[in-house]
C-alpha cells in the first residue's frame, strides 16, 4: 500500500499541498459516464481506485506507526463499497 500512495507522499515530502477542487453533481456524472464509456473502466475498478485513494489519505493523516487501530463504518450503496475497499487496503 505504501508504494501505491507515492503520489500523496510526494506532496507530503515537499511540504506543499495540492489544491483541492470539488466537482458539482453534474460534473461527477459526466466524469463517470466518460470513465465507464469510452475509457472502459468498470464500476468495480472505479470503486477500487476510490477505496485506495481513501486508504492513502487515511495513512497520510494517521500514520500506521502511531495509529495501529482504525474503525471503518460503511453503509449500503457505492460509498459503502468504497469504505469496504478502503478497510481492505488498511
Amino acid at each position: 500500500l505504501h508504494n501505491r500512495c507515492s503520489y500523496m507522499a510526494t506532496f507530503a515530502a515537499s511540504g506543499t499541498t495540492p489544491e483541492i477542487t470539488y466537482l458539482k453533481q453534474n460534473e461527477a456524472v459526466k466524469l463517470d459516464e466518460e470513465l465507464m464509456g469510452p475509457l472502459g473502466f468498470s464500476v468495480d475498478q472505479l470503486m477500487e481506485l476510490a477505496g485506495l485513494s481513501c486508504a492513502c489519505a487515511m495513512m497520510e493523516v494517521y500514520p500506521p506507526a502511531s495509529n495501529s487501530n482504525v474503525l471503518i463504518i460503511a453503509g449500503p450503496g457505492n460509498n459503502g463499497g468504497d469504505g469496504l475497499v478502503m478497510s481492505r487496503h488498511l
Side-chain angles (χ1 to χ4, degrees), residues 58-86:
M58 287 290 294
M59 288 181 60
E60 183 180 330
V61 175
Y62 302 103
S66 57
N67 299 281
S68 60
N69 295 314
V70 63
L71 172 64
I72 307 292
I73 300 173
N78 291 337
N79 289 338
D82 297 344
L84 292 174
V85 172
M86 178 177 71

Side-chain angles (χ1 to χ4, degrees), residues 3-80:
N3 293 335
R4 296 178 189 167
C5 299
S6 62
Y7 174 78
M8 296 178 79
T10 301
F11 284 108
S14 69
T16 62
T17 304
E19 182 180 336
I20 296 175
T21 57
Y22 299 94
L23 296 176
K24 295 177 182 158
Q25 182 177 5
N26 65 327
E27 294 170 327
V29 168
K30 283 183 188 177
L31 181 60
D32 280 349
E33 288 172 353
E34 186 173 333
L35 288 170
M36 290 187 283
L39 296 178
F41 282 88
S42 70
V43 172
D44 292 345
Q45 288 172 312
L46 296 178
M47 189 178 302
E48 183 67 27
L49 291 172
L52 175 61
S53 296
C54 291
C56 288
M58 287 290 294
M59 288 181 60
E60 183 180 330
V61 175
Y62 302 103
S66 57
N67 299 281
S68 60
N69 295 314
V70 63
L71 172 64
I72 307 292
I73 300 173
N78 291 337
N79 289 338

